Amino acid sequence: MRRIEKLLIISFCFLCLESKCQELYSLPFDICDNRILVRFSILGSPVDMCFDTGANYNFLHITKAVKNNRVNCSDKIEFVNFGIQDLRIQRITNYRDSIFGNNWAVLISEQLSNIGCDIDGIVSGQDMLDCSVVEVNFLRKQILGFSSITDILNSYHSNIKKYNINKPSVGYETPASAFTGDFASLQGTILFNDSTEVNTQFLIDTGSKFELALVVTDSLLIRKYSNGKEQYKNELFGIDETVDFTYVSYGIENEQQSDLVKSLMFYSESNDFSIFGSRKIGVLLGVPFFIRNKSIIIDNFNKKLYLVK
């Protein structure tokens, strides 16, 4: 009997060791103003970066780059499209990261004003989603990477909901869709107050502090559904402008998520490089939606999103 017990203990230890080997990385984070802030080090300088699965570039703010004299930048100033705005950047030439990848740049914008959060820039989730199954654990406040989904699901006994992942441009591809990045989104519907229902894709956007935000390429739709205007500020990008808002209810995969939700409507000119393809309306699904769960797991290998209740 004791021999069997010893064998069981040894087997369990091997399973534990194997499970630990499957954890590829672990990054602590804090929540501030509905933003996920990851702390790590760039060339020996500590930074607090907003974790953004809706970004395909890693941006370090110009003020932080100036203070960190170890960062070298190219002389050339470039313009890159980042969702709803064009940004001025200078590429960082002497930094690469094993988790967040090789696309690093200094973001040239106005100095950060006081927003109550110390944000030094943005880190993209693109390389992480390409190389690992990513878990954002809100209870432990850790972002973890695993080599397979079984390494995570076996550790949970909670209620888990599973959704299908696809590219935001699915069904509305453009000639440039293959070059816009492998973003993850969910199929869903939004319902306007005149009962108009729109089937669209919801970008999994951990960089957004709003539950919902609409990206609209038709200004007539903004005028039609606007319930008013309000000031929108994004201190990191130096944005301070007036935008329209509306109220919508929405569902994901035919599952009702909420009644009326206030949603900003961002106008974006239609172009082939839009991550939503030729859609007139796309949705950014932000941190307030995800933080209701104990944990979220993005498996871009098998195209699944898991919400751990």
Side-chain angles (χ1 to χ4, degrees), residues 84-99:
I84 57 173
Q85 62 260 331
D86 291 322
L87 304 178
R88 292 193 305 153
I89 66 165
Q90 287 177 280
R91 297 181 189 274
I92 295 174
T93 59
N94 66 328
Y95 184 68
R96 302 290 183 269
D97 192 89
S98 60
I99 297 176

Side-chain angles (χ1 to χ4, degrees), residues 19 31 55 91 104 123 160 177 188 212 219 242 302:
S19 175
I31 300 289
R91 297 181 189 274
W104 287 83
V123 283
I160 298 177
S177 293
L212 288 188
S219 59
T242 302
N302 299 298

Side-chain angles (χ1 to χ4, degrees), residues 56 126 130 167-183 271-278 303:
N56 56 6
Q126 286 285 290
D130 288 341
K167 291 192 70 171
S169 61
V170 61
Y172 289 79
E173 290 86 354
T174 66
S177 293
F179 307 101
T180 56
D182 197 18
F183 294 98
N271 67 81
D272 283 349
F273 286 92
S274 168
I275 61 172
F276 290 105
S278 60
K303 301 300 180 184

Side-chain angles (χ1 to χ4, degrees), residues 22 86 94 96 109 111 128 132 170 182 213 246 258 266 283:
Q22 299 303 319
D86 291 322
N94 66 328
R96 302 290 183 269
S109 69
Q111 287 196 353
M128 300 170 77
S132 60
V170 61
D182 197 18
T246 188
S258 175
F266 295 106
V283 180

Side-chain angles (χ1 to χ4, degrees), residues 20-264:
K20 287 184 178 179
C21 287
Q22 299 303 319
E23 185 180 299
L24 305 177
Y25 54 81
S26 175
L27 300 167
F29 70 82
D30 285 314
I31 300 289
C32 182
D33 191 26
N34 282 328
R35 291 181 171 98
I36 299 173
L37 301 186
V38 182
R39 166 157 283 202
F40 63 106
S41 178
I42 295 178
L43 298 173
S45 177
V47 289
D48 292 294
M49 306 286 275
C50 177
F51 174 64
D52 189 353
T53 54
N56 56 6
Y57 241 92
N58 303 296
F59 297 112
L60 187 64
H61 198 269
I62 185 67
T63 54
K64 191 68 178 183
V66 169
K67 293 176 183 177
N68 183 355
N69 55 18
R70 297 172 183 171
V71 170
N72 296 330
C73 298
S74 64
D75 295 329
K76 182 181 178 182
I77 295 178
E78 304 176 46
F79 287 86
V80 296
N81 181 262
F82 188 79
I84 57 173
Q85 62 260 331
D86 291 322
L87 304 178
R88 292 193 305 153
I89 66 165
Q90 287 177 280
R91 297 181 189 274
I92 295 174
T93 59
N94 66 328
Y95 184 68
R96 302 290 183 269
D97 192 89
S98 60
I99 297 176
F100 297 112
N102 299 333
N103 291 326
W104 287 83
V106 168
L107 174 64
I108 304 172
S109 69
E110 300 299 322
Q111 287 196 353
L112 286 167
S113 58
N114 182 20
I115 56 175
C117 303
D118 184 13
I119 302 176
D120 299 312
I122 292 173
V123 283
S124 163
Q126 286 285 290
D127 278 81
M128 300 170 77
L129 294 177
D130 288 341
C131 302
S132 60
V133 178
V134 177
E135 177 183 11
V136 182
N137 191 308
F138 291 105
L139 286 183
R140 294 167 55 185
K141 289 190 176 179
Q142 284 184 309
I143 298 173
L144 303 114
F146 296 88
S147 57
S148 75
I149 190 64
T150 54
D151 301 325
I152 313 173
L153 294 184
N154 289 340
S155 65
Y156 281 112
H157 304 287
S158 304
N159 178 29
I160 298 177
K161 290 190 175 182
K162 181 171 67 173
Y163 301 93
N164 295 311
I165 285 176
N166 217 319
K167 291 192 70 171
S169 61
V170 61
Y172 289 79
E173 290 86 354
T174 66
S177 293
F179 307 101
T180 56
D182 197 18
F183 294 98
S185 71
L186 309 173
Q187 187 277 326
T189 58
I190 52 175
L191 185 67
F192 289 97
N193 51 20
D194 67 350
S195 298
T196 298
E197 187 174 270
V198 176
N199 295 314
T200 187
Q201 291 295 122
F202 289 62
L203 179 71
I204 299 173
D205 188 4
T206 61
S208 174
K209 67 177 185 177
F210 306 109
E211 180 174 350
L212 288 188
L214 306 186
V215 179
V216 185
T217 61
D218 187 342
S219 59
L220 293 177
L221 292 176
I222 293 180
R223 286 199 287 270
K224 179 178 180 180
Y225 294 117
S226 176
N227 290 115
K229 296 180 182 291
E230 69 175 47
Q231 206 67 16
Y232 167 67
K233 292 185 179 182
N234 188 315
E235 293 81 356
L236 185 61
F237 294 146
I239 296 174
D240 186 354
E241 60 186 35
T242 302
V243 298
D244 291 84
F245 68 86
T246 188
Y247 290 93
V248 297
S249 56
Y250 71 99
I252 296 175
E253 291 189 359
N254 299 318
E255 183 179 286
Q256 187 70 19
Q257 298 293 327
S258 175
D259 293 327
L260 290 181
V261 174
K262 185 178 182 180
S263 175
L264 298 183

